[in-house]
Amino acid sequence: MTEDRHCKDVGVTEPCACTDGRQGEQLCTTDGTLGSCDCGSVGGAPSTDSGGSTSGQAGSRAGSGNSEARAGDGAGGSGTSVTEEGGVGTSGATETSDGNIGGADNGAGAAGAGAEAGGGPCGVGDAQGCRCADYVLGHRDCESGSFGACNCRVTTPEPAAAGCVPKTEICNQVDDDCDGLVDEHFVCRDSTVKNTRPYSRGVYLKASTSSTCGSDVAQRFWPTLDQNHVNGLDCSNEYWFADFDDRLYRQLGTRVYRKNSVGETKLSVPPCGSRFGFDQEGVVYYVCGHDLLRGDGEILTGSIASAVAVLNDGRTIVTRRGPVATTQYVVLDRDGNELVRFPPYGMFSGSVGIAPLASSTAGDAAYVAINRTYVETVTQVSEVMVYEIDPDSVFRLVRRVVVPSLPIRQLVISDGTVFVLSTGGATNITAYHPDNTNSVVWHSADSPFFNLPSFGELMAGPLTPVLDP
């Protein structure tokens, strides 16, 4: 398969997905594009001593030091694949252990370090990236509180034990899928909350006030309801606040606009994607086509499905297609090099979908959401999984929140709160608090001027927006 996309390092290879689920390589050619995906140079059989993982997926998951966590809750999944914005996949899955995932060189060393153990403490649900012997990305699982060897296995399940008939793993203290583990794949509920940071900013609802475009407003509803909202917003574009200056931005066509007190200011940098962000120096990162660009047009990397967030240190979080038609969160360093992918193929049971628009940032960390449905025993459970991407690019599980149904709109913030915008008679926003209680924190009667709040956006932002004259 040939992908006509840009690359910047002639002679250097980049990972690509093979049709059988392995990860191949593409060479950056002299004309600045990537050639066909070479699936013969990465080896056909999985290593028997490298642990269990999907080849080409970064990160490793950490076990738990929390005595309340259920033993055996962990990574790997039965019949699971990942799609973007709640999409469902049903490909057969490889089971692995629990779930934090992080940067590819954190304790991993250079290429060929696949058999070495990683360093650093970890907990249930954490994952750390690593490099396999063929330099493709693997992931490290958490073993007794620290990251273990680099898992580089391809996307095929382990053979079942003799005489055992594999079934979907459920929460019943039985090894249903015949892999020697009980109740893994996160099939049992867990209310543990960890890896949080204090949150001192606001949360906004942006929605329309009439059928006329240009009449949208952004109203802060958290931690308190503020009736002094931002007026005159466009109806068809996403907005978000930049952490580095607390101003409200949007993208339209090939331009970025900054909201001011009377209208908008057009910036000189011309991104051409619907998502962009700034680092702490105010340098803009944006997606153009399927390429990630910086500043005045420097191409960092290609094969981007969407941009999710930019961190203060210049790392970017994007989405990319993974093995077997999955979509994953990907952390890139400030030069566009891939550090880690999440979730690894087969990490969770059930149906899994990433939710890029639910993300928020906190300095050099980000908080992202995964929507999931699975069968616990006989009942189907819907839940939002919250992950921190820490300054070392480790994916650390924050919490799992059971919800009545997968949300239309949602937002996760650093203290572990999950906001869900839902409809059911009246439109409301429910906050799922870190103490495992929940409450309605906004409903349509609070702001009757909103016309279609169910189609609104949830945004993290300052307590008071900065609006230039």
Side-chain angles (χ1 to χ4, degrees), residues 120-171:
C122 52
V124 170
D126 298 352
Q128 184 187 59
C130 57
R131 294 288 181 183
C132 303
D134 51 11
Y135 207 70
V136 298
L137 283 167
H139 73 274
R140 298 185 186 278
D141 295 330
C142 193
E143 300 171 1
S144 301
S146 62
F147 291 116
C150 191
N151 294 325
C152 302
R153 194 175 68 215
V154 298
T155 57
T156 53
E158 292 283 7
C164 186
V165 179
K167 300 181 292 295
T168 298
E169 191 77 15
I170 60 175
C171 184

Side-chain angles (χ1 to χ4, degrees), residues 295-443:
D296 292 328
E298 177 189 4
I299 296 175
L300 300 179
T301 187
S303 291
I304 304 298
S306 65
V308 178
V310 180
L311 302 179
N312 278 356
D313 58 12
R315 283 176 299 145
T316 53
I317 302 164
V318 301
T319 65
R320 273 179 168 161
R321 302 291 284 177
V324 292
T326 62
T327 302
Q328 299 165 302
Y329 290 116
V330 178
V331 181
L332 306 173
D333 68 17
R334 64 176 296 108
D335 295 318
N337 301 303
E338 191 167 300
L339 298 175
V340 57
R341 291 185 175 221
F342 187 85
Y345 177 73
M347 181 173 178
F348 306 111
S349 68
S351 302
V352 181
I354 65 175
L357 298 182
S359 62
S360 66
T361 58
D364 288 340
Y367 292 80
V368 297
I370 293 173
N371 292 336
R372 176 177 171 233
T373 60
Y374 65 96
V375 176
E376 185 177 35
T377 50
V378 295
T379 304
Q380 180 169 285
V381 177
S382 298
E383 73 174 10
V384 177
M385 304 186 74
V386 182
Y387 270 84
E388 176 199 33
I389 303 173
D390 75 6
D392 294 322
S393 298
V394 176
F395 276 78
R396 297 193 180 275
L397 179 61
V398 174
R399 65 183 303 200
R400 299 166 58 190
V401 179
V402 175
V403 293
S405 60
L406 294 183
I408 300 172
R409 296 285 189 273
Q410 61 193 308
L411 181 74
V412 299
I413 59 175
S414 63
D415 67 1
T417 304
V418 178
F419 297 95
V420 172
L421 174 65
S422 58
T423 57
T427 300
N428 58 57
I429 298 172
T430 301
Y432 292 83
H433 305 288
D435 63 0
N436 288 306
T437 63
N438 64 80
S439 62
V440 174
V441 294
W442 181 93
H443 50 82

Side-chain angles (χ1 to χ4, degrees), residues 237-240 247-260 263-269 271 276 278:
N237 296 273
E238 295 173 17
Y239 286 78
W240 51 90
R247 288 172 168 83
L248 186 63
Y249 291 82
R250 72 159 173 148
Q251 181 272 338
L252 177 64
T254 59
R255 296 295 179 189
V256 168
Y257 292 83
R258 182 175 59 231
K259 187 74 176 74
N260 57 43
E264 293 180 320
T265 302
K266 183 171 67 175
L267 306 187
S268 60
V269 176
F276 63 93
F278 301 88

